[in-house]
Amino acid sequence: MSGEASAPGASPRAPRPGTQKSSSSVTKKGDRGAKEKPATVLQPVGEEEPKNPEEYQCTGVLETDFAELCTRSGYTDFPKVVPRPRPHPAFVPSASMSEKPTLDDQRLSGSCSLNSLESKYVFFRPTIQVELEPEDKSVKEIYIRGWKVEERILGVFSKCLPPLSQLQAINLWKVGLTDKTLTTFIALLPLCTSTLRKVSLEGNPLPEQSYHKLMALDSTISHLSLRNNDIDDHGAQLLGQALSTLHSCNRTLVSLNLGFNHIGDAGAGYIADGLRLNRALLWLSLAHNRIKDQGALKLAEVLRPFELTHTEVVERRRLLLEKGSQERSRSPSSSRHGDSKAEREKNPLMGVSNAALAERSDRDRMPTAKTPRGLGKKKEKSGDGVKKEEKSGSGQSPTQGTPKKEDATKAGKGKVTVPEQKPSKGKGPKTGNKEKRSFLLESELVAEPSEVVSPLLEPVEHREGKVFMPGNKVLLHLNLIRNRITEVGLEGFLATVQHQAQFSKSKSAAKGPVGLLCLSLAKNCFSPQCPTYTMIQELMLPRDPVSKAKPREEETTASST
């Protein structure tokens, strides 16, 4: 009886003296006292334990900090921090080693069965695998797989992960995340070092599919993998809206892996809508989903010139007016040329670059400021003037005003400057003016990066009363392997690849993105010998950097031999 009373007292780590008193002095009559005494002992222990993790100062060594914080939080059994196992090099049999395995198998056939079972259990035991930097052995990546990460463990991580100054990636595979714990995990990320750019949440299906919260406007994640999460069309809609909407756009995410999910045609359409105004994403995988021809056509459509909707046209005009009004208020010295009403109406439609050019031209007495004035007058008379004016103003505004990764707008810069360079070849003042214009805009980019707003300010084309954008040419890699695309969907991608190939040839001298470099369409519902698929492969072959690198490797090996 006394042994039974001491066991519960010892299991929550109550002080031994207290448990011994209760066990020695208690008889059958004093059973109540034996139950009450451990409660009085555990109360102060329970009050002290939550305070201890906060008082602990992390050392930056994950193995030590995690174990100490788990112990102070009341965990008796918790995962160990171990180095991530590396695959063994390929085994090459030799004559000297050929006989040893047979002798060892005969000698240890009876004892190896128990060891192998133990090793298998050790393999599946919960651990935190880490990949270390070779120089200073600091933690570079964290891999957690196969055990449930609860709210309290995330609380421990919020204390021991921020001191890891070299942490670059967190990989959570089948850890039983919920929408609530995902929110806690997202709140943990800003506490970590700025080098943390990669997050992988695979095999964690969520009822509310709130993965889009990882792509918020304040997110710093560059690489996000959401494979095998049962994401359907509703989840794809949330992700597409996180990529871009009419008024917001994700500018940090570079790669997004949505493979092995349940995304169909509607979901692919939502992702395509997100790509309309996103100029940051370079790599997208939708492999092993349920996308058919309708979804494939929508994805192909946004990668070549597409028509702006009415709301997008209205928003584009509003942005142009807003840019011009900001420039007028920012540059009062240009009011010498802007006293007339025609000049005031001209500035909003010219965009940022032309307004800044007007300010610079006042100092240098350049005659170029007079040219947009004539364009402004033409704009009031005919719709064709609007076309020319929007191209000259809006095309220059986003080219210098976008982040470096938004390379598609640089292609827009090439479109505008190439026709302008022809008349300026024989005129020295205009070329000097362009150089000053670029310097001015670069300084504006550094000073006020918030002005880098929307791809709606890219140069557009007017055809039959409709406005067309040049399309998303920033996306370099698109993976659609193992979907349900037929030859109908292939036709859409063939048109896209043909347009991008023609565009890259016409703009070969200009720096900027030229569209897809890798397009994976294998294992779909068409024959590999399909003529359309063959044409796509032939067009993509000279664009693929991997195929370009292979002949170079062969040449180097041939020259070395």
Side-chain angles (χ1 to χ4, degrees):
M1 190 73 179
S2 61
E4 293 177 1
S6 62
S11 59
R13 292 178 304 190
R16 285 189 177 181
T19 55
Q20 286 176 355
K21 277 187 177 181
S22 62
S23 60
S24 60
S25 62
V26 169
T27 60
K28 292 184 179 179
K29 296 180 182 179
D31 284 342
R32 289 182 182 177
K35 295 177 182 178
E36 290 174 358
K37 278 189 176 182
T40 56
V41 173
L42 285 175
Q43 281 178 358
V45 174
E47 289 175 1
E48 291 176 2
E49 283 182 348
K51 297 178 182 178
N52 288 335
E54 297 179 1
E55 296 172 357
Y56 177 73
Q57 298 294 328
C58 292
T59 61
V61 180
L62 182 60
E63 183 176 2
T64 305
D65 294 340
F66 184 76
E68 182 66 25
L69 288 169
C70 284
T71 303
R72 291 174 178 241
S73 299
Y75 283 99
T76 56
D77 187 16
F78 47 85
K80 294 183 178 180
V81 178
V82 298
R84 190 186 184 202
R86 286 291 184 181
H88 296 288
F91 175 73
V92 180
S94 61
S96 61
M97 297 180 64
S98 60
E99 297 179 357
K100 289 185 178 180
T102 56
L103 295 174
D104 292 339
D105 290 340
Q106 291 175 358
R107 195 176 298 169
L108 301 175
S109 58
S111 61
C112 276
S113 59
L114 180 60
N115 293 335
S116 62
L117 286 174
E118 289 179 354
S119 64
K120 289 179 181 178
Y121 282 115
V122 167
F123 176 78
F124 288 107
R125 185 176 296 169
T127 59
I128 299 176
Q129 299 180 0
V130 295
E131 190 168 332
L132 305 177
E133 289 282 2
E135 292 84 8
D136 54 358
K137 300 301 179 182
S138 57
V139 176
K140 182 172 66 174
E141 294 192 34
I142 294 176
Y143 297 84
I144 299 175
R145 50 170 297 172
W147 54 276
K148 188 171 184 179
V149 175
E150 300 175 344
E151 195 88 17
R152 284 205 301 168
I153 287 290
L154 290 174
V156 172
F157 282 146
S158 66
K159 296 181 177 64
C160 62
L161 293 188
L164 305 179
S165 59
Q166 301 299 322
L167 182 61
Q168 299 176 13
I170 298 178
N171 302 270
L172 305 180
W173 184 79
K174 290 190 176 181
V175 297
L177 284 181
T178 63
D179 290 283
K180 182 179 179 182
T181 53
L182 177 63
T183 304
T184 306
F185 174 73
I186 294 172
L188 177 155
L189 296 177
L191 304 176
C192 298
T193 177
S194 60
T195 58
L196 177 60
R197 296 293 183 182
K198 179 183 176 183
V199 172
S200 176
L201 303 181
E202 300 182 358
N204 295 283
L206 301 179
E208 298 179 8
Q209 303 190 47
S210 52
Y211 307 100
H212 64 283
K213 295 179 180 178
L214 290 159
M215 300 162 54
L217 294 178
D218 57 347
S219 172
T220 58
I221 298 175
S222 298
H223 307 277
L224 179 61
S225 180
L226 298 173
R227 296 192 308 170
N228 198 22
N229 285 330
D230 296 341
I231 298 175
D232 56 15
D233 292 341
H234 172 65
Q237 181 181 13
L238 299 175
L239 292 172
Q241 293 172 353
L243 283 174
S244 76
T245 61
L246 195 61
H247 303 287
S248 64
C249 178
N250 182 288
R251 297 175 185 168
T252 57
L253 192 65
V254 175
S255 68
L256 177 62
N257 194 337
L258 298 176
F260 296 89
N261 283 293
H262 305 322
I263 300 174
D265 282 343
Y270 293 130
I271 299 295
D273 290 340
L275 294 175
R276 288 173 71 92
L277 301 179
N278 182 284
R279 296 297 181 267
L281 193 68
L282 305 177
W283 193 97
L284 173 63
S285 176
L286 291 167
H288 294 264
N289 277 279
R290 303 171 181 179
I291 301 171
K292 298 181 181 179
D293 292 331
Q294 186 179 358
L297 290 173
K298 290 181 179 178
L299 287 168
E301 180 185 356
V302 298
L303 302 179
R304 60 177 186 267
F306 59 85
E307 179 186 353
L308 291 181
T309 63
H310 175 70
T311 55
E312 288 172 340
V313 172
V314 173
E315 178 66 11
R316 172 183 165 82
R317 292 174 180 172
R318 186 191 69 80
L319 289 173
L320 290 171
L321 292 169
E322 186 180 33
K323 289 284 186 179
S325 61
Q326 288 177 358
E327 280 303 310
R328 277 205 320 275
S329 61
R330 208 176 292 134
S331 56
S333 60
S334 63
S335 61
R336 183 175 61 182
H337 290 285
D339 292 334
S340 62
K341 292 184 179 180
E343 183 71 13
R344 294 178 183 177
E345 292 174 358
K346 176 202 66 176
N347 283 337
L349 295 171
M350 288 176 58
V352 180
S353 56
N354 283 346
L357 174 62
E359 180 182 356
R360 181 60 64 95
S361 63
D362 287 340
R363 302 173 185 174
D364 301 333
R365 297 180 180 178
M366 294 288 181
T368 52
K370 297 179 181 179
T371 331
R373 186 179 301 177
L375 288 177
K377 294 177 181 178
K378 288 182 181 179
K379 187 264 171 189
E380 297 174 0
K381 295 180 181 179
S382 63
D384 295 334
V386 181
K387 173 181 175 181
K388 294 180 181 178
E389 202 163 37
E390 287 183 351
K391 282 190 176 182
S392 62
S394 60
Q396 295 163 359
S397 172
T399 53
Q400 300 291 341
T402 48
K404 291 184 179 179
K405 62 174 66 174
E406 297 181 9
D407 292 330
T409 51
K410 294 180 182 177
K413 175 184 175 183
K415 282 190 173 181
V416 178
T417 53
V418 166
E420 289 180 358
Q421 285 175 357
K422 293 180 180 178
S424 64
K425 287 181 180 178
K427 299 180 181 180
K430 284 196 175 182
T431 55
N433 190 22
K434 286 181 183 178
E435 293 176 0
K436 293 177 181 179
R437 180 191 310 172
S438 62
F439 284 121
L440 180 61
L441 289 170
E442 287 176 4
S443 64
E444 287 178 358
L445 175 61
V446 175
E448 297 181 12
S450 61
E451 285 190 3
V452 183
V453 211
S454 173
L456 286 172
L457 297 176
E458 291 178 0
V460 297
E461 297 179 8
H462 294 257
R463 292 181 292 187
E464 299 177 356
K466 299 177 181 178
V467 185
F468 287 83
M469 282 191 66
N472 187 327
K473 292 184 175 61
V474 174
L475 188 68
L476 305 180
H477 178 102
L478 178 60
N479 188 352
L480 290 168
I481 289 178
R482 289 195 181 274
N483 279 275
R484 303 172 185 178
I485 304 170
T486 68
E487 296 183 16
V488 177
L490 283 182
E491 293 291 342
F493 280 109
L494 177 60
T496 295
V497 173
Q498 287 175 339
H499 167 76
Q500 292 188 352
Q502 184 179 2
F503 174 82
S504 62
K505 289 179 182 178
S506 62
K507 301 296 179 183
S508 57
K511 295 182 179 180
V514 293
L516 291 173
L517 300 181
C518 181
L519 176 61
S520 303
L521 294 169
K523 308 295 183 182
N524 275 277
C525 300
F526 56 82
S527 171
Q529 290 77 29
C530 169
T532 307
Y533 182 57
T534 305
M535 292 179 65
I536 292 175
Q537 286 183 312
E538 291 176 355
L539 289 170
M540 292 301 300
L541 187 62
R543 299 166 64 87
D544 191 349
V546 178
S547 63
K548 289 180 181 179
K550 286 182 180 178
R552 294 175 185 174
E553 292 177 359
E554 293 175 358
E555 290 176 1
T556 53
T557 53
S559 61
S560 61
T561 54

